[in-house]
Amino acid sequence: MAPPTDRKQILANFRHQIKQGKPIIGAGAGKAAHPQDALRPPRSLPKKSGIGLTAKSAETGGIDLLILYNSGRFRMAGRGSLAGLMPYGNANDVVVDMAREILPVVQKTPVLAGVCASDPFRDIGKFLGELKGLGFAGVQNFPTVGLVDGVFRQNLEETGMSYQLEVDMVRMAHEMDMLTTPYVFNPDEATKMAEAGADVVVAHMGLTTSGSIGAQTGKSLEDCVKEVQNIRDAAVNVNSEIIVLCHGGPIAKPEDAKFVLDRCPGVHGFFGASSMERLPVEEAITGITRTFKDISIQP
């Protein structure tokens, strides 16, 4: 059974859940590969470089959306998510490589591709068609220049590697009837993505600040409540039916998501990347190892 790709049906299912008071939960689907696989060019990877265990486990738990992007591979290699924004390999090639492993094991959950819209050596329109043909239900804008700030961000914008390319990519995907769930970082970007036809906007609060390789600097949950609400209000002002999820920063665990969702009317759920594929692995392996080490033996 192939994962669903009918955009209208997927959205109808989401809205039905929302009416029932159930959150929409999305997850990144990194793969449990050998750590060095993350640093090899995709075409040099062994045919069986890992397993789609993260995706299968999330689906068993009832996940609503699975998203594949290059940072998932780096996280499962023990590296921070921002490795996906560094020049360690072509992000779009990595996603296609991961698709061969994960799409065949997912049966009932729509799978989205993280697309680097500023890739200078790829026709993004043709690439979207390729992704659709592979069985992806839709796309998300990752790697995203939205995570970059300061002079470097200004220089990216000035030299044609802008967030607007990500907006344009979402518009193209929408016109191809693909599900679109872009990251947005402020109300202005939420407005642009909603105008481009985004079905879901994910209010990104920055790099996740938990675990062994999480960021140490970030917002507070109280900060996130205000920022997520402002992003939600801007998106809904364009499209009253748009779905809004929160993500990142200190929103790392279920209780964190509940804190934000309880205080943000009209926000419909949570998207977890590190929270869903890295932190549970860290905690489970650390915990079970300590449990084994606590066993007493007879000298």
Side-chain angles (χ1 to χ4, degrees), residues 70-91:
N70 66 330
S71 276
R73 174 171 288 179
F74 289 107
R75 279 192 291 270
M76 299 308 284
R79 309 296 178 176
S81 297
L82 290 183
L85 274 69
M86 297 297 287
Y88 303 146
N90 184 284

Side-chain angles (χ1 to χ4, degrees), residues 55-94:
K56 289 185 69 173
S57 299
E59 184 168 64
T60 300
I63 203 70
D64 297 301
L65 277 171
L66 287 166
I67 297 90
L68 306 190
Y69 46 78
N70 66 330
S71 276
R73 174 171 288 179
F74 289 107
R75 279 192 291 270
M76 299 308 284
R79 309 296 178 176
S81 297
L82 290 183
L85 274 69
M86 297 297 287
Y88 303 146
N90 184 284
N92 290 327
D93 285 342
V94 170

Side-chain angles (χ1 to χ4, degrees), residues 80-257:
S81 297
L82 290 183
L85 274 69
M86 297 297 287
Y88 303 146
N90 184 284
N92 290 327
D93 285 342
V94 170
V95 166
V96 172
D97 180 69
M98 293 172 73
R100 293 195 293 268
E101 180 175 346
I102 294 178
L103 287 174
V105 302
V106 175
Q107 298 183 350
K108 58 185 179 181
T109 309
V111 181
L112 279 68
V115 175
C116 180
S118 59
D119 186 339
F121 301 113
R122 196 176 300 262
D123 183 315
I124 295 300
K126 290 181 180 178
F127 185 51
L128 294 176
E130 179 184 347
L131 294 173
K132 191 171 185 178
L134 287 172
F136 282 102
V139 295
Q140 187 171 61
N141 56 327
F142 194 90
T144 171
V145 300
L147 280 168
V148 181
D149 57 15
V151 174
F152 186 37
R153 171 64 179 275
Q154 183 178 345
N155 290 163
L156 287 172
E157 296 285 341
E158 292 169 347
T159 54
M161 291 168 278
S162 66
Y163 187 84
Q164 183 60 44
L165 292 177
E166 301 173 26
V167 176
D168 295 341
M169 182 273 292
V170 166
R171 181 177 290 106
M172 283 188 282
H174 176 72
E175 291 171 353
M176 296 170 64
D177 203 30
M178 299 178 77
L179 188 71
T180 52
T181 68
Y183 281 137
V184 300
F185 298 83
N186 54 57
D188 181 59
E189 292 172 356
T191 298
K192 290 180 180 179
M193 285 296 190
E195 290 174 344
D199 300 302
V200 179
V201 293
V202 182
H204 200 308
M205 296 293 103
L207 200 62
T208 301
T209 55
S210 293
S212 64
I213 55 173
Q216 302 300 311
T217 303
K219 303 175 174 71
S220 68
L221 282 172
E222 290 79 7
D223 293 334
C224 291
V225 168
K226 181 178 180 180
E227 293 190 26
V228 170
Q229 190 68 58
N230 288 341
I231 285 171
R232 178 265 174 194
D233 292 347
V236 169
N237 190 50
V238 176
N239 176 8
S240 62
E241 294 189 348
I242 202 165
I243 295 170
V244 182
L245 309 181
C246 59
H247 166 77
I251 317 172
K253 296 184 178 182
E255 54 267 32
D256 303 326

